[in-house]
Each structure stands twice: as C-alpha cells, then as structure tokens.
Amino acid sequence: MLRIFICPKCYNFRMVSRKPAAICFHCGAKLEKTELDYNEYIHMTEQDRSTYRENYKKRILKYHEKLNQMLQENQILH
C-alpha cells in the first residue's frame, strides 16, 4: 500500500510503500505521513496539492510559533 508523506522542511510530497521512516529526497529531512490516501492523492489537481501544501505549511509554522512562545514563557518563569 502506498502512503503519501510530506516534508516538514521543504514541503515536497513523496509516495512511500514500505519505509515507515521515509527521508526526503530533496533535503534529507524525516518525512511526516499525511492523512491522504493514494487514490485521493493521484486524483488531486496540481492546485489541490498546492493548497494542501500551503495549509500544511501554515499549520507547521503556527505550531512552531506556539512552541517557541511556550518555551520563552517557560524561560521567563525560571
């Protein structure tokens, strides 16, 4: 079964069949599994894929901002 992964560093997609710890061919980062299944992915247009990528990017950036904020607040408290 093919799974769809995305790179959290350069945001490229990769289809992977047997490697649960897949690596990005573009930048070498460890890939994250998406919730997309193979059939859904192959029927997406380039615009759909771009939209998915941008939404993923926004989620990741928001997560990192929140994490950095929490770490900074924690440093101030100690």
Side-chain angles (χ1 to χ4, degrees), residues 12-46:
N12 282 297
F13 289 106
R14 179 174 167 203
M15 287 183 251
V16 178
S17 62
R18 294 191 175 142
K19 294 183 179 182
I23 302 296
C24 179
F25 289 143
H26 299 275
C27 71
K30 183 179 177 192
L31 298 176
E32 294 183 2
K33 187 175 181 248
T34 69
E35 67 272 3
L36 298 170
D37 67 20
Y38 175 74
N39 285 327
E40 184 179 4
Y41 178 77
I42 64 169
H43 289 100
M44 291 172 83
T45 65
E46 284 299 317

Side-chain angles (χ1 to χ4, degrees), residues 47-58:
Q47 181 60 45
D48 292 339
R49 291 177 187 177
S50 180
T51 300
Y52 185 92
R53 182 181 289 115
E54 289 304 313
N55 288 337
Y56 173 84
K57 194 186 291 189
K58 287 177 189 174

